[in-house]
Amino acid sequence: SATDSAAWSKLDDLLRRFPNDHLVIRAYATRQGICRLIDEKKISLETGIQIFDIERQRAVMERSMEEAQRNDKKPLPDSADPLG
């Protein structure tokens, strides 16, 4: 689908721009693995979406904590999502 293609394009772009960012790498690998499990009919699309959303929120919290440590524990704006 167009949405799926756009999501992969966004992740590909993030990986190109930030090849050493552990959160981008983890998101890419997670999505790749989830898609494979869906394609192999081992999990449903809904389950895959739920898992990816949980991992995305985990990445947002992890990035927020990293930024807070770098910025002397200053609170971050809501735009801390490393995946856009």
Side-chain angles (χ1 to χ4, degrees):
S1 74
T3 304
D4 192 53
S5 179
W8 273 116
S9 180
K10 183 176 183 176
L11 271 175
D12 282 335
D13 182 55
L14 284 169
L15 194 58
R16 263 191 305 279
R17 291 188 303 145
F18 309 103
N20 299 314
D21 186 317
H22 67 101
L23 295 177
V24 173
I25 294 166
R26 189 167 74 200
Y28 194 97
T30 299
R31 189 164 200 270
Q32 196 170 43
I34 288 171
C35 287
R36 182 176 177 179
L37 291 171
I38 292 167
D39 289 345
E40 293 174 355
K41 309 232 184 288
K42 293 181 178 176
I43 64 171
S44 68
L45 175 61
E46 293 77 20
T47 297
I49 290 169
Q50 288 173 346
I51 292 167
F52 191 80
D53 286 344
I54 289 166
E55 290 304 315
R56 182 180 180 145
Q57 287 304 313
R58 185 174 289 152
V60 169
M61 289 186 335
E62 199 171 318
R63 179 56 41 91
S64 293
M65 289 188 307
E66 290 172 358
E67 292 293 324
Q69 288 174 348
R70 274 195 286 264
N71 294 322
D72 299 322
K73 311 285 185 212
K74 293 178 188 171
L76 290 177
D78 290 335
S79 63
D81 186 345
L83 305 180

